[in-house]
Amino acid sequence: MNIRKKLTLASLLMILLPIAVSVMLCVMVLFFHGSENLNRLEELYDNDNGLLNVQTILYNYQNQILTYEPVEEIIEAETGNTESNDAWENWDEDDWDDDDEEEEVDYNALLQEEIRRQNSAFGGVVRELTNIGYYYEIYYDHVVLASDLPEDAAEKITDIAGEGYEKLASFAVADGNSSAVKRSYILEEGTLSILAYCENYVGSSSSSQVIRDILSILGLFVAVLVVSIVISIFILTRWLSSGMKKSLNQLSEGVRQVQDGNLSYRIGSKKKDELGKACQEFDEMTEYLENSVREREKYEEAKKQLLAGISHDLRTPLTSIKAYVEGLRDGIANTEEKKRRYYDAIRTRTEDLAELIDNLSLFSRFDRGEYHYSMERIDFGGFVNSFFKEHEIEFKNNRLSLVKTVWERKNLFIQGDRQQLKRVLGNLIDNTIKYREKPESVVTAALYTADGRLYLELSDDGPGVPEEERDKIFDTFFRGDKARQNPGNGSGLGLSIVKEIMKGHGGSIRAEEGVGGKGLKFVMEFPLDRDEDDR
């Protein structure tokens, strides 16, 4: 996973995880402690204009209501009892017995006592009804004890409860937003009735409690959400930083190793993100640098060998020429026959020097890519046959026999430079003759095609080349152990030139073990040149 995807995932998790945790916790709270809140909601939405609330209030305060005991004097005064009033008005002090203690009636004290009794019996009911938006009226045997009904309440109650609702002991009715509830209580000396009326029910008590419950849950949700966000940020930040920190430390260590010259150091990261890719590219860079250093060292070594080979191959004929010249000067060659042999030897060594210089010049042009091939379409099978036929006498003089095994004859066309291809074949045959150990040798040739490529194999029956040296024989001035024993046999440039010519033709050459495990086999590979009909 790349860093961009990790950051996207971390951002989503920072949002989703806290929300999920908060929701789960709130659900758990509601599951274990939410029945009361759900009941309140049910009451809030299923209660018909608060009728259930009013009836519940009247029921809950029933015992308190039944404790009411009216002050008879006040009740009688409120009911307009004339007999009682006349008795009080016509009372004379002479009517008291002399033995009775004279006592005055304190109406204010009686009124205060009545108020106290009403507050004790009805105070809680009145508060609860007022809290939920209901008006009330309390009366005892048709005497109104307390009321806050609006002036038009009686008419509206009649509309929803019907005519004569005053005579009903109990009812609970609702119509639209208006509702009325009445309940009567039988006391020892009379009947107490409570009428509750509401025009627009609000349900403030339940709704307020529900709002408080909702706010509590929201507060809990927000608190858990904040804590979850902080924890998520901490965990996800460590998750992101740990992976990046490891890769950065690996890169830092890799840079230090390269600075110390250890180009073989590899991080070996398997990560798929950008930093993992950077580590892999670092490994590719160090591998490239290591290969470059090896190539440079190899080039330097080849350069040293080249200089040593040039020095050796120049010194050998020059030493011979110097010796023959000194022999002529000192009179060692004292006959015409000896002088002729000395002159012929000097000419031969001079020709060797000229050939060496020509080969060096040619190889240098090949190596720098400055040689321009004269390419043409060549029937390679016919070309090779012509080459062998042209050199038939030379092969015979050098006791070399040619044997053909597989030899295809059709559609063997390539793009090639005839002169340089002759040089390739000539150098390979010369290599066989120079390094053979027997006076006679046999060269086996095979020409065939495979996978759209043309192959020419030349195998000899000579001493062969050890496997570890087969790739090196194409290097400039390389000589194996057997070649070093007889350095006059070659300059060390012949096979190097062959390799460069094959590269210039888009082909290749390699050395393998000879037929039957004896000798050396050269395998040349060329790209076929097919015309439209062949394709």
Side-chain angles (χ1 to χ4, degrees), residues 40-94:
R40 290 195 186 99
L41 285 174
E42 184 178 358
E43 291 176 4
L44 180 62
Y45 291 102
D46 293 340
N47 187 8
D48 191 3
N49 286 347
L51 294 180
L52 181 60
N53 281 347
V54 174
Q55 295 179 73
T56 301
I57 292 171
L58 295 178
Y59 176 79
N60 290 338
Y61 285 92
Q62 177 175 323
N63 293 333
Q64 188 174 344
I65 293 171
L66 292 176
T67 62
Y68 174 69
E69 183 178 351
V71 177
E72 294 181 1
E73 291 82 356
I74 299 299
I75 297 301
E76 289 177 356
E78 292 292 335
T79 57
N81 190 336
T82 56
E83 181 179 353
S84 175
N85 290 339
D86 291 342
W88 282 101
E89 292 175 358
N90 297 325
W91 193 268
D92 192 353
E93 293 181 0
D94 295 336

Short mmCIF file of all heavy atoms in Angstrom, two decimals, residues 40-94:
data_model
loop_
_atom_site.label_atom_id
_atom_site.label_comp_id
_atom_site.label_asym_id
_atom_site.label_seq_id
_atom_site.Cartn_x
_atom_site.Cartn_y
_atom_site.Cartn_z
N ARG A 40 -40.17 8.13 28.79
CA ARG A 40 -40.50 9.55 28.71
C ARG A 40 -40.85 9.95 27.28
O ARG A 40 -41.77 10.73 27.04
CB ARG A 40 -39.32 10.39 29.21
CG ARG A 40 -39.07 10.27 30.71
CD ARG A 40 -38.16 11.38 31.18
NE ARG A 40 -37.79 11.20 32.58
CZ ARG A 40 -36.66 10.66 32.99
NH1 ARG A 40 -35.78 10.26 32.10
NH2 ARG A 40 -36.40 10.53 34.27
N LEU A 41 -40.09 9.43 26.35
CA LEU A 41 -40.40 9.73 24.95
C LEU A 41 -41.77 9.19 24.56
O LEU A 41 -42.54 9.83 23.84
CB LEU A 41 -39.32 9.13 24.03
CG LEU A 41 -37.97 9.85 24.01
CD1 LEU A 41 -36.98 9.06 23.19
CD2 LEU A 41 -38.13 11.26 23.44
N GLU A 42 -42.04 7.99 25.05
CA GLU A 42 -43.34 7.39 24.73
C GLU A 42 -44.47 8.22 25.33
O GLU A 42 -45.49 8.45 24.68
CB GLU A 42 -43.38 5.96 25.27
CG GLU A 42 -44.65 5.22 24.90
CD GLU A 42 -44.63 3.79 25.39
OE1 GLU A 42 -43.61 3.39 25.99
OE2 GLU A 42 -45.62 3.09 25.19
N GLU A 43 -44.25 8.66 26.56
CA GLU A 43 -45.27 9.51 27.17
C GLU A 43 -45.41 10.82 26.42
O GLU A 43 -46.51 11.34 26.25
CB GLU A 43 -44.89 9.80 28.63
CG GLU A 43 -44.97 8.59 29.55
CD GLU A 43 -44.50 8.93 30.94
OE1 GLU A 43 -44.18 10.12 31.17
OE2 GLU A 43 -44.44 8.03 31.79
N LEU A 44 -44.26 11.33 25.95
CA LEU A 44 -44.30 12.63 25.27
C LEU A 44 -45.07 12.56 23.96
O LEU A 44 -45.83 13.46 23.63
CB LEU A 44 -42.86 13.10 25.01
CG LEU A 44 -42.71 14.45 24.31
CD1 LEU A 44 -43.29 15.57 25.16
CD2 LEU A 44 -41.25 14.72 23.99
N TYR A 45 -44.91 11.45 23.22
CA TYR A 45 -45.52 11.37 21.90
C TYR A 45 -46.82 10.58 21.88
O TYR A 45 -47.63 10.74 20.98
CB TYR A 45 -44.53 10.76 20.90
CG TYR A 45 -43.37 11.68 20.63
CD1 TYR A 45 -42.14 11.46 21.23
CD2 TYR A 45 -43.53 12.78 19.81
CE1 TYR A 45 -41.08 12.33 21.00
CE2 TYR A 45 -42.47 13.65 19.57
CZ TYR A 45 -41.25 13.41 20.17
OH TYR A 45 -40.21 14.26 19.95
N ASP A 46 -47.01 9.68 22.86
CA ASP A 46 -48.25 8.90 22.89
C ASP A 46 -49.29 9.50 23.83
O ASP A 46 -50.45 9.11 23.80
CB ASP A 46 -47.96 7.46 23.33
CG ASP A 46 -47.13 6.74 22.27
OD1 ASP A 46 -47.13 7.20 21.12
OD2 ASP A 46 -46.51 5.72 22.62
N ASN A 47 -48.93 10.40 24.72
CA ASN A 47 -49.85 11.03 25.67
C ASN A 47 -50.74 12.01 24.92
O ASN A 47 -50.25 12.96 24.31
CB ASN A 47 -49.03 11.74 26.75
CG ASN A 47 -49.92 12.27 27.86
OD1 ASN A 47 -51.11 11.98 27.89
ND2 ASN A 47 -49.33 13.04 28.74
N ASP A 48 -52.06 11.80 24.96
CA ASP A 48 -53.01 12.63 24.22
C ASP A 48 -53.19 13.95 24.95
O ASP A 48 -53.99 14.07 25.88
CB ASP A 48 -54.34 11.88 24.09
CG ASP A 48 -55.27 12.57 23.11
OD1 ASP A 48 -54.84 13.58 22.51
OD2 ASP A 48 -56.41 12.10 22.96
N ASN A 49 -52.44 14.97 24.51
CA ASN A 49 -52.50 16.32 25.10
C ASN A 49 -52.26 16.31 26.60
O ASN A 49 -52.77 17.14 27.33
CB ASN A 49 -53.85 16.98 24.82
CG ASN A 49 -53.96 17.44 23.37
OD1 ASN A 49 -52.96 17.46 22.66
ND2 ASN A 49 -55.16 17.78 22.95
N GLY A 50 -51.50 15.36 27.08
CA GLY A 50 -51.15 15.33 28.50
C GLY A 50 -52.19 14.73 29.40
O GLY A 50 -52.08 14.83 30.62
N LEU A 51 -53.23 14.10 28.83
CA LEU A 51 -54.27 13.50 29.68
C LEU A 51 -53.68 12.46 30.61
O LEU A 51 -54.05 12.39 31.79
CB LEU A 51 -55.36 12.86 28.80
CG LEU A 51 -56.21 13.82 27.95
CD1 LEU A 51 -57.23 13.04 27.15
CD2 LEU A 51 -56.90 14.85 28.84
N LEU A 52 -52.77 11.66 30.07
CA LEU A 52 -52.15 10.63 30.90
C LEU A 52 -51.35 11.26 32.03
O LEU A 52 -51.38 10.78 33.17
CB LEU A 52 -51.27 9.72 30.04
CG LEU A 52 -50.57 8.57 30.76
CD1 LEU A 52 -51.60 7.65 31.41
CD2 LEU A 52 -49.68 7.80 29.80
N ASN A 53 -50.64 12.33 31.70
CA ASN A 53 -49.86 13.01 32.74
C ASN A 53 -50.77 13.54 33.85
O ASN A 53 -50.46 13.42 35.05
CB ASN A 53 -49.07 14.17 32.14
CG ASN A 53 -47.82 13.68 31.42
OD1 ASN A 53 -47.43 12.54 31.58
ND2 ASN A 53 -47.22 14.55 30.63
N VAL A 54 -51.88 14.17 33.46
CA VAL A 54 -52.79 14.74 34.47
C VAL A 54 -53.37 13.65 35.35
O VAL A 54 -53.41 13.77 36.59
CB VAL A 54 -53.92 15.54 33.77
CG1 VAL A 54 -54.96 16.00 34.79
CG2 VAL A 54 -53.34 16.72 33.02
N GLN A 55 -53.82 12.57 34.73
CA GLN A 55 -54.40 11.48 35.52
C GLN A 55 -53.36 10.86 36.43
O GLN A 55 -53.66 10.47 37.56
CB GLN A 55 -54.99 10.42 34.58
CG GLN A 55 -56.17 10.94 33.76
CD GLN A 55 -56.73 9.89 32.82
OE1 GLN A 55 -57.38 8.95 33.29
NE2 GLN A 55 -56.46 10.05 31.54
N THR A 56 -52.12 10.77 35.91
CA THR A 56 -51.04 10.23 36.75
C THR A 56 -50.78 11.14 37.95
O THR A 56 -50.59 10.67 39.08
CB THR A 56 -49.76 10.07 35.92
OG1 THR A 56 -50.02 9.20 34.82
CG2 THR A 56 -48.63 9.49 36.76
N ILE A 57 -50.78 12.45 37.69
CA ILE A 57 -50.56 13.41 38.79
C ILE A 57 -51.66 13.29 39.83
O ILE A 57 -51.41 13.24 41.04
CB ILE A 57 -50.47 14.84 38.23
CG1 ILE A 57 -49.19 15.00 37.39
CG2 ILE A 57 -50.50 15.87 39.36
CD1 ILE A 57 -49.14 16.30 36.62
N LEU A 58 -52.92 13.25 39.38
CA LEU A 58 -54.04 13.16 40.32
C LEU A 58 -54.00 11.86 41.11
O LEU A 58 -54.37 11.83 42.29
CB LEU A 58 -55.37 13.27 39.55
CG LEU A 58 -55.61 14.62 38.85
CD1 LEU A 58 -56.93 14.58 38.08
CD2 LEU A 58 -55.63 15.76 39.87
N TYR A 59 -53.55 10.80 40.44
CA TYR A 59 -53.45 9.52 41.15
C TYR A 59 -52.31 9.54 42.16
O TYR A 59 -52.45 9.06 43.29
CB TYR A 59 -53.25 8.39 40.14
CG TYR A 59 -53.04 7.04 40.78
CD1 TYR A 59 -54.13 6.31 41.28
CD2 TYR A 59 -51.76 6.51 40.91
CE1 TYR A 59 -53.93 5.08 41.89
CE2 TYR A 59 -51.56 5.28 41.52
CZ TYR A 59 -52.65 4.57 42.01
OH TYR A 59 -52.45 3.36 42.62
N ASN A 60 -51.17 10.10 41.75
CA ASN A 60 -50.00 10.11 42.63
C ASN A 60 -50.24 10.95 43.88
O ASN A 60 -49.70 10.64 44.95
CB ASN A 60 -48.78 10.64 41.88
CG ASN A 60 -48.29 9.66 40.82
OD1 ASN A 60 -48.57 8.46 40.90
ND2 ASN A 60 -47.57 10.17 39.82
N TYR A 61 -51.02 12.02 43.74
CA TYR A 61 -51.26 12.91 44.88
C TYR A 61 -52.58 12.59 45.60
O TYR A 61 -53.08 13.40 46.39
CB TYR A 61 -51.27 14.37 44.42
CG TYR A 61 -49.90 14.91 44.13
CD1 TYR A 61 -49.36 14.84 42.85
CD2 TYR A 61 -49.13 15.47 45.15
CE1 TYR A 61 -48.09 15.33 42.57
CE2 TYR A 61 -47.87 15.97 44.89
CZ TYR A 61 -47.35 15.89 43.60
OH TYR A 61 -46.09 16.38 43.35
N GLN A 62 -53.13 11.44 45.34
CA GLN A 62 -54.44 11.09 45.91
C GLN A 62 -54.39 11.07 47.44
O GLN A 62 -55.27 11.64 48.11
CB GLN A 62 -54.88 9.72 45.38
CG GLN A 62 -56.20 9.23 45.99
CD GLN A 62 -56.66 7.94 45.33
OE1 GLN A 62 -56.50 7.77 44.14
NE2 GLN A 62 -57.24 7.05 46.13
N ASN A 63 -53.40 10.43 48.00
CA ASN A 63 -53.31 10.34 49.46
C ASN A 63 -53.18 11.72 50.09
O ASN A 63 -53.77 12.00 51.16
CB ASN A 63 -52.14 9.46 49.87
CG ASN A 63 -52.36 8.01 49.48
OD1 ASN A 63 -53.51 7.55 49.38
ND2 ASN A 63 -51.27 7.27 49.26
N GLN A 64 -52.41 12.58 49.44
CA GLN A 64 -52.23 13.93 49.97
C GLN A 64 -53.54 14.72 49.87
O GLN A 64 -53.89 15.49 50.77
CB GLN A 64 -51.11 14.64 49.20
CG GLN A 64 -50.72 15.98 49.79
CD GLN A 64 -49.52 16.56 49.08
OE1 GLN A 64 -48.82 15.86 48.37
NE2 GLN A 64 -49.30 17.84 49.28
N ILE A 65 -54.26 14.51 48.76
CA ILE A 65 -55.53 15.23 48.57
C ILE A 65 -56.55 14.80 49.62
O ILE A 65 -57.32 15.61 50.17
CB ILE A 65 -56.05 14.99 47.14
CG1 ILE A 65 -55.11 15.64 46.12
CG2 ILE A 65 -57.47 15.52 46.97
CD1 ILE A 65 -55.42 15.28 44.69
N LEU A 66 -56.57 13.51 49.91
CA LEU A 66 -57.56 12.98 50.86
C LEU A 66 -57.32 13.44 52.29
O LEU A 66 -58.17 13.24 53.17
CB LEU A 66 -57.56 11.45 50.80
CG LEU A 66 -58.09 10.84 49.48
CD1 LEU A 66 -57.95 9.33 49.50
CD2 LEU A 66 -59.55 11.24 49.25
N THR A 67 -56.18 14.06 52.54
CA THR A 67 -55.92 14.59 53.89
C THR A 67 -56.64 15.92 54.13
O THR A 67 -56.60 16.45 55.25
CB THR A 67 -54.41 14.78 54.10
OG1 THR A 67 -53.91 15.74 53.15
CG2 THR A 67 -53.65 13.47 53.94
N TYR A 68 -57.24 16.44 53.07
CA TYR A 68 -57.89 17.75 53.21
C TYR A 68 -59.10 17.65 54.14
O TYR A 68 -59.96 16.78 53.98
CB TYR A 68 -58.31 18.28 51.85
CG TYR A 68 -59.10 19.57 51.95
CD1 TYR A 68 -58.49 20.75 52.36
CD2 TYR A 68 -60.48 19.59 51.66
CE1 TYR A 68 -59.22 21.93 52.46
CE2 TYR A 68 -61.20 20.76 51.75
CZ TYR A 68 -60.56 21.93 52.15
OH TYR A 68 -61.29 23.09 52.26
N GLU A 69 -59.15 18.56 55.11
CA GLU A 69 -60.30 18.68 56.03
C GLU A 69 -60.67 20.16 56.09
O GLU A 69 -59.90 20.97 56.61
CB GLU A 69 -59.93 18.16 57.42
CG GLU A 69 -61.10 18.19 58.39
CD GLU A 69 -60.73 17.63 59.75
OE1 GLU A 69 -59.61 17.07 59.87
OE2 GLU A 69 -61.54 17.77 60.68
N PRO A 70 -61.81 20.52 55.54
CA PRO A 70 -62.14 21.95 55.44
C PRO A 70 -62.46 22.57 56.80
O PRO A 70 -62.88 21.88 57.73
CB PRO A 70 -63.36 21.96 54.53
CG PRO A 70 -63.99 20.63 54.72
CD PRO A 70 -62.88 19.66 54.98
N VAL A 71 -62.25 23.86 56.89
CA VAL A 71 -62.68 24.63 58.06
C VAL A 71 -64.16 24.95 57.84
O VAL A 71 -64.51 25.68 56.90
CB VAL A 71 -61.85 25.91 58.22
CG1 VAL A 71 -62.37 26.74 59.40
CG2 VAL A 71 -60.38 25.56 58.42
N GLU A 72 -65.02 24.40 58.68
CA GLU A 72 -66.45 24.46 58.42
C GLU A 72 -66.97 25.89 58.38
O GLU A 72 -67.82 26.24 57.55
CB GLU A 72 -67.21 23.68 59.50
CG GLU A 72 -66.92 22.18 59.45
CD GLU A 72 -67.71 21.43 60.51
OE1 GLU A 72 -68.47 22.09 61.25
OE2 GLU A 72 -67.56 20.19 60.57
N GLU A 73 -66.47 26.74 59.26
CA GLU A 73 -66.96 28.10 59.30
C GLU A 73 -66.69 28.81 57.98
O GLU A 73 -67.54 29.56 57.48
CB GLU A 73 -66.30 28.88 60.44
CG GLU A 73 -66.74 28.43 61.83
CD GLU A 73 -65.97 27.21 62.30
OE1 GLU A 73 -65.15 26.67 61.48
OE2 GLU A 73 -66.14 26.77 63.43
N ILE A 74 -65.51 28.56 57.41
CA ILE A 74 -65.17 29.21 56.15
C ILE A 74 -66.02 28.65 55.03
O ILE A 74 -66.54 29.39 54.18
CB ILE A 74 -63.68 29.02 55.85
CG1 ILE A 74 -62.81 29.66 56.94
CG2 ILE A 74 -63.31 29.60 54.48
CD1 ILE A 74 -63.03 31.15 57.08
N ILE A 75 -66.20 27.34 55.02
CA ILE A 75 -67.00 26.71 53.98
C ILE A 75 -68.44 27.19 54.05
O ILE A 75 -69.07 27.50 53.04
CB ILE A 75 -66.94 25.18 54.09
CG1 ILE A 75 -65.48 24.70 53.87
CG2 ILE A 75 -67.86 24.52 53.08
CD1 ILE A 75 -64.91 25.09 52.54
N GLU A 76 -68.98 27.27 55.29
CA GLU A 76 -70.36 27.73 55.44
C GLU A 76 -70.49 29.17 54.99
O GLU A 76 -71.49 29.56 54.38
CB GLU A 76 -70.79 27.58 56.89
CG GLU A 76 -70.98 26.13 57.31
CD GLU A 76 -71.33 26.00 58.79
OE1 GLU A 76 -71.35 27.05 59.46
OE2 GLU A 76 -71.56 24.87 59.25
N ALA A 77 -69.47 29.96 55.29
CA ALA A 77 -69.52 31.36 54.86
C ALA A 77 -69.48 31.44 53.34
O ALA A 77 -70.15 32.27 52.72
CB ALA A 77 -68.36 32.14 55.47
N GLU A 78 -68.68 30.57 52.71
CA GLU A 78 -68.56 30.59 51.26
C GLU A 78 -69.84 30.11 50.59
O GLU A 78 -70.20 30.56 49.51
CB GLU A 78 -67.38 29.72 50.82
CG GLU A 78 -66.02 30.28 51.22
CD GLU A 78 -65.68 31.54 50.47
OE1 GLU A 78 -66.22 31.74 49.35
OE2 GLU A 78 -64.89 32.34 50.98
N THR A 79 -70.55 29.16 51.25
CA THR A 79 -71.78 28.62 50.65
C THR A 79 -72.98 29.53 50.87
O THR A 79 -74.05 29.29 50.33
CB THR A 79 -72.09 27.24 51.25
OG1 THR A 79 -72.20 27.36 52.67
CG2 THR A 79 -70.99 26.25 50.89
N GLY A 80 -72.81 30.59 51.73
CA GLY A 80 -73.92 31.52 51.97
C GLY A 80 -75.00 30.93 52.85
O GLY A 80 -76.19 31.17 52.65
N ASN A 81 -74.67 30.15 53.88
CA ASN A 81 -75.61 29.54 54.81
C ASN A 81 -76.20 30.63 55.71
O ASN A 81 -75.58 31.07 56.67
CB ASN A 81 -74.89 28.49 55.66
CG ASN A 81 -75.86 27.65 56.48
OD1 ASN A 81 -76.98 28.10 56.78
ND2 ASN A 81 -75.43 26.46 56.86
N THR A 82 -77.46 31.14 55.43
CA THR A 82 -78.06 32.29 56.12
C THR A 82 -78.40 31.97 57.55
O THR A 82 -78.31 32.82 58.43
CB THR A 82 -79.35 32.71 55.39
OG1 THR A 82 -80.22 31.59 55.30
CG2 THR A 82 -79.01 33.20 53.98
N GLU A 83 -78.78 30.74 57.78
CA GLU A 83 -79.12 30.37 59.15
C GLU A 83 -77.92 30.50 60.05
O GLU A 83 -77.99 31.05 61.15
CB GLU A 83 -79.66 28.94 59.17
CG GLU A 83 -80.07 28.48 60.58
CD GLU A 83 -80.63 27.08 60.58
OE1 GLU A 83 -80.82 26.53 59.45
OE2 GLU A 83 -80.85 26.53 61.65
N SER A 84 -76.84 30.05 59.57
CA SER A 84 -75.62 30.15 60.37
C SER A 84 -75.21 31.59 60.51
O SER A 84 -74.79 32.04 61.57
CB SER A 84 -74.52 29.32 59.71
OG SER A 84 -73.31 29.48 60.39
N ASN A 85 -75.40 32.36 59.42
CA ASN A 85 -74.99 33.76 59.47
C ASN A 85 -75.87 34.55 60.43
O ASN A 85 -75.38 35.39 61.19
CB ASN A 85 -75.07 34.38 58.07
CG ASN A 85 -73.98 33.80 57.15
OD1 ASN A 85 -73.00 33.27 57.64
ND2 ASN A 85 -74.21 33.92 55.85
N ASP A 86 -77.19 34.28 60.36
CA ASP A 86 -78.09 35.00 61.25
C ASP A 86 -77.78 34.67 62.69
O ASP A 86 -77.87 35.53 63.58
CB ASP A 86 -79.56 34.63 60.96
CG ASP A 86 -80.00 35.18 59.60
OD1 ASP A 86 -79.29 36.11 59.09
OD2 ASP A 86 -80.98 34.67 59.03
N ALA A 87 -77.44 33.43 62.91
CA ALA A 87 -77.12 33.04 64.29
C ALA A 87 -75.93 33.82 64.80
O ALA A 87 -75.90 34.27 65.93
CB ALA A 87 -76.85 31.54 64.36
N TRP A 88 -74.95 33.97 63.92
CA TRP A 88 -73.77 34.74 64.32
C TRP A 88 -74.11 36.22 64.49
O TRP A 88 -73.62 36.88 65.40
CB TRP A 88 -72.65 34.58 63.27
CG TRP A 88 -71.94 33.26 63.39
CD1 TRP A 88 -72.12 32.18 62.64
CD2 TRP A 88 -70.96 32.95 64.35
NE1 TRP A 88 -71.32 31.17 63.05
CE2 TRP A 88 -70.56 31.62 64.12
CE3 TRP A 88 -70.36 33.65 65.43
CZ2 TRP A 88 -69.63 30.98 64.90
CZ3 TRP A 88 -69.41 33.01 66.18
CH2 TRP A 88 -69.05 31.68 65.92
N GLU A 89 -75.01 36.72 63.60
CA GLU A 89 -75.32 38.15 63.67
C GLU A 89 -76.19 38.48 64.89
O GLU A 89 -76.08 39.55 65.47
CB GLU A 89 -76.04 38.59 62.39
CG GLU A 89 -75.14 38.56 61.16
CD GLU A 89 -75.92 38.88 59.92
OE1 GLU A 89 -77.15 39.08 60.00
OE2 GLU A 89 -75.29 38.92 58.82
N ASN A 90 -77.12 37.57 65.25
CA ASN A 90 -78.04 37.84 66.36
C ASN A 90 -77.51 37.36 67.70
O ASN A 90 -78.22 37.36 68.70
CB ASN A 90 -79.41 37.16 66.10
CG ASN A 90 -80.08 37.75 64.86
OD1 ASN A 90 -79.94 38.95 64.60
ND2 ASN A 90 -80.82 36.91 64.14
N TRP A 91 -76.35 36.91 67.69
CA TRP A 91 -75.77 36.41 68.95
C TRP A 91 -75.52 37.57 69.87
O TRP A 91 -75.02 38.61 69.46
CB TRP A 91 -74.46 35.68 68.63
CG TRP A 91 -73.96 34.87 69.81
CD1 TRP A 91 -73.13 35.26 70.77
CD2 TRP A 91 -74.32 33.56 70.12
NE1 TRP A 91 -72.90 34.30 71.68
CE2 TRP A 91 -73.64 33.18 71.30
CE3 TRP A 91 -75.21 32.59 69.54
CZ2 TRP A 91 -73.77 31.93 71.90
CZ3 TRP A 91 -75.30 31.37 70.17
CH2 TRP A 91 -74.60 31.03 71.31
N ASP A 92 -75.86 37.36 71.12
CA ASP A 92 -75.69 38.41 72.13
C ASP A 92 -74.88 37.85 73.27
O ASP A 92 -74.94 36.66 73.56
CB ASP A 92 -77.08 38.87 72.64
CG ASP A 92 -76.98 40.15 73.46
OD1 ASP A 92 -75.83 40.58 73.73
OD2 ASP A 92 -78.03 40.68 73.79
N GLU A 93 -74.18 38.76 73.88
CA GLU A 93 -73.32 38.31 74.96
C GLU A 93 -74.14 37.76 76.12
O GLU A 93 -73.66 36.93 76.88
CB GLU A 93 -72.46 39.48 75.46
CG GLU A 93 -71.44 39.93 74.43
CD GLU A 93 -70.60 41.07 74.98
OE1 GLU A 93 -70.82 41.47 76.13
OE2 GLU A 93 -69.69 41.53 74.25
N ASP A 94 -75.41 38.23 76.22
CA ASP A 94 -76.21 37.74 77.33
C ASP A 94 -76.60 36.30 77.14
O ASP A 94 -77.05 35.64 78.10
CB ASP A 94 -77.50 38.60 77.49
CG ASP A 94 -77.14 40.03 77.88
OD1 ASP A 94 -76.04 40.21 78.47
OD2 ASP A 94 -77.92 40.92 77.56
#
